[in-house]
């Protein structure tokens, strides 16, 4: 019976739903080309691609168009001190998560704690609690509010964000979140509610219940024959799977993050939010921002001996 329970948990991981597979695709179709730069991916929240195929104007009422790709996540000045990630520009709400250990699968041997910084960055959009355009320092002067670092009040967030005027015209007064329901992005981006030509984003809305996702905030075993040993250590001590032996954490290398509890698996262990070329410079990015293609379960077997 215990074995059954573990298997059920495995099936539930990543919520293997419509069209999704661990083979690394097929992806939910996109109008972005998914190569060259983050600008050409869904993480371009200005919703523009070079060919102008994505109709950004349709999206303008629902999020501020800062007309800059990086600013939804980073700022050169006034970055967050509440979430210590590279020049981080996003609001960090106080959110509690249901972590994988609550499933009580008998097979887990490692310690799971709350998601670390290198997961909280992603969750600041993907858990659906915070508007995707809720940042601390909007472009231009006078558009900075340090209270945004830890703002929990949606009213205050909206008041601040409403100070922004979209360059493309239509004003955003709805600052939507990656969540279901009429007041969320899935109000148009889900089956049944799909606006014409909008894509189904249900599987991207991870929520605060992480029990059906690969564990994060989990320490990495060092003496377990079911796991490969890491092969590289960076100058500052981070450990990772060094593919080219240069002791540098390259973006196509799976890594662990030590934020005080020992090296742990976090979202960014497997994903690089800027995209990673699948076959060298100029090639198509791996699907779903993966650091390593999961064709043939290559990503999984970087860590797991199976
Ligand atoms: C009123 C309906 C509506 C709402 C609400 C909405 N969208 Fe959209 N969205 C669309 C439509 C329609 C398109 C397709 C535009 C096109 O065909 O060029 C789109 C396209 C997109 C794309 C580009 C998809 C791709 O890969 O080609 C992204 C990303 C996106 N929306 C994100 C969001 C986010 C994030 C939110 C919440 C902040 C949101 N949308 C809310 C209607 C909506
Ligand atoms: C959707 C959010 C998002 C956007 C947009 C984004 N980044 Fe990042 N960036 C991140 C996250 C998250 C990290 C930390 C990754 C980690 O935990 O290792 C990061 C890290 C970085 C780093 C540190 C080194 C590295 O690659 O991890 C640099 C440099 C960087 N980003 C530059 C940029 C630039 C330049 C742009 C715009 C062209 C940009 N980013 C757009 C989320 C984003
Ligand atoms: C600023 C908000 C934001 C942040 C921060 C962010 N994302 Fe996203 N992400 C989005 C939006 C918006 C989409 C488009 C689909 C949607 O609206 O659900 C998306 C899509 C994705 C997709 C699907 C890509 C595809 O083409 O199929 C993956 C995978 C993903 N994000 C992973 C991550 C990870 C991992 C991190 C952290 C390293 C992260 N995201 C950080 C907003 C964000
Ligand atoms: C152990 C590696 C690993 C970790 C850790 C991980 N992911 Fe993923 N993620 C994947 C793989 C593999 C896929 C592709 C699944 C597919 O093709 O269906 C994926 C897909 C996704 C998608 C696209 C939806 C889907 O299922 O296709 C999103 C969004 C996403 N991950 C976000 C996150 C966030 C946020 C975190 C941290 C809470 C995270 N991931 C942690 C490996 C991982
Ligand atoms: C960065 C390293 C890493 C990668 C990549 C990785 N995992 Fe894991 N995985 C772990 C760790 C660590 C554990 C916890 C092991 C333990 O507690 O004994 C784990 C646990 C699991 C479990 C067991 C959950 C349970 O309830 O016992 C499964 C199943 C699993 N991973 C599947 C996958 C799949 C499928 C992939 C590829 C999509 C993958 N993993 C990629 C590190 C990784």
């Amino acid at each position: 019976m215990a074995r059954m329970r573990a298997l059920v948990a495995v099936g539930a991981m990543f919520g293997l739903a419509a069209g999704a597979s661990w083979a690394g695709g097929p992806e939910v179709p996109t109008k972005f080309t998914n190569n060259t730069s983050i600008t050409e991916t869904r993480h371009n929240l200005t919703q523009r691609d070079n060919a102008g195929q994505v109709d950004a104007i349709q999206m303008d009422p629902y999020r501020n168009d800062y007309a800059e790709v990086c600013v939804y996540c980073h700022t050169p000045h006034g970055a967050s001190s509440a979430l210590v990630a590279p020049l981080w520009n996003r609001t960090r709400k106080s959110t509690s998560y249901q972590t994988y250990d609550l499933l009580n699968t008998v097979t887990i041997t490692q310690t799971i704690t709350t998601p670390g910084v290198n997961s909280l960055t992603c969750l600041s959009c993907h858990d659906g609690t915070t508007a995707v355009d809720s940042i601390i320092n909007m472009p231009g002067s006078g558009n900075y509010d340090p209270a945004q670092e830890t703002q929990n009040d949606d009213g205050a967030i909206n008041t601040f964000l409403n100070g922004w005027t979209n360059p493309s015209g239509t004003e955003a007064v709805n600052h939507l979140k990656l969540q279901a329901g009429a007041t969320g992005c899935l109000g148009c981006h889900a089956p049944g509610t799909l606006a014409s030509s909008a894509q189904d984003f249900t599987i991207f809305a991870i929520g605060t219940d992480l029990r059906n996702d690969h564990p994060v905030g989990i320490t990495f075993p060092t003496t377990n024959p079911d796991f490969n040993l890491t092969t590289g250590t960076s100058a500052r001590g981070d450990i990772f799977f060094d593919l080219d032996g240069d002791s540098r954490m390259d973006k196509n290398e799976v890594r662990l993050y030590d934020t005080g509890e020992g090296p742990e698996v976090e979202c960014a262990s497997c994903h690089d939010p800027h995209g990673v070329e699948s076959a060298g410079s100029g090639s198509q990015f791996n699907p779903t921002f993966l650091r390593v293609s999961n064709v043939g379960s290559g990503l999984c077997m970087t860590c797991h001996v199976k």
Side-chain angles (χ1 to χ4, degrees):
M1 250 352 260
R3 175 94 187 125
M4 271 310 289
R5 256 180 44 213
L7 285 176
V8 168
V10 171
M13 266 193 355
F14 302 123
L16 283 182
S21 82
W22 283 344
E27 284 183 276
V28 178
T30 177
K31 292 186 176 173
F32 291 100
T33 54
N34 246 351
N35 59 18
T36 324
S37 146
I38 189 173
T39 310
E40 301 300 334
T41 73
R42 286 200 169 110
H43 275 167
N44 178 353
L45 296 192
T46 70
Q47 248 73 247
R48 284 181 170 74
D49 66 3
N50 280 345
Q53 293 142 335
V54 181
D55 184 353
I57 313 254
Q58 287 205 54
M59 295 298 308
D60 277 356
Y62 312 107
R63 56 91 188 89
N64 283 346
D65 176 7
Y66 297 123
E68 291 176 17
V69 179
C70 314
V71 79
Y72 292 88
C73 294
H74 305 287
T75 175
H77 306 286
S80 175
S81 49
L83 207 166
V84 187
L87 295 170
W88 199 241
N89 198 20
R90 298 194 49 76
T91 303
R92 178 190 185 171
K93 282 193 175 176
S94 54
T95 307
S96 41
Y97 297 95
Q98 288 174 278
T99 49
Y100 187 87
D101 50 315
L102 299 173
L103 278 180
N104 259 324
T105 58
V106 292
T107 39
I108 283 287
T109 61
Q110 298 299 114
T111 312
I112 300 181
T113 48
T114 52
V117 168
N118 309 83
S119 294
L120 291 175
T121 47
C122 315
L123 290 167
S124 74
C125 284
H126 284 276
D127 74 5
T129 64
T130 312
V132 298
D133 54 354
S134 186
I135 58 175
I136 302 160
N137 194 2
M138 300 192 283
S141 58
N143 291 328
Y144 165 64
D145 182 3
Q148 277 282 101
E149 283 187 10
T150 51
Q151 187 58 267
N152 277 309
D153 177 354
D154 283 337
I157 287 178
N158 281 2
T159 303
F160 172 68
L161 297 181
N162 282 340
W164 177 260
T165 306
N166 275 352
S168 45
T170 319
E171 209 49 85
V173 286
N174 302 295
H175 303 282
L176 300 191
K177 306 167 186 174
L178 226 45
Q179 60 169 15
T183 54
C185 305
L186 266 52
C188 288
H189 287 281
T193 60
L194 276 186
S196 96
S197 84
Q199 301 75 4
D200 178 1
F201 287 165
T202 319
I203 195 155
F204 304 151
I206 290 190
T208 56
D209 183 349
L210 306 178
R211 288 175 303 177
N212 61 351
D213 302 295
H214 191 283
V216 293
I218 186 163
T219 55
F220 193 75
T222 47
T223 54
N224 181 338
D226 284 344
F227 283 86
N228 291 313
L229 295 174
T230 51
T231 52
T233 308
S234 72
R236 42 154 288 185
D238 293 307
I239 67 170
F240 60 105
F241 291 91
D242 196 356
L243 297 177
D244 57 3
D246 68 354
S247 300
R248 185 180 171 276
M249 282 207 300
D250 299 310
K251 62 183 169 184
N252 64 338
E253 292 167 343
V254 172
R255 74 262 314 258
L256 303 165
Y257 292 93
D258 188 349
T259 48
E261 290 151 334
E264 292 180 319
V265 181
E266 303 289 358
C267 308
S269 296
C270 299
H271 295 276
D272 180 328
H274 315 94
V276 176
E277 293 91 348
S278 56
S281 183
S283 63
Q284 193 79 9
F285 289 153
N286 291 326
T288 54
F289 299 111
L290 292 177
R291 292 193 185 276
V292 170
S293 160
N294 205 29
V295 174
S297 295
L299 173 69
C300 315
M301 290 193 298
T302 303
C303 296
H304 292 272
V305 177
K306 280 282 175 259

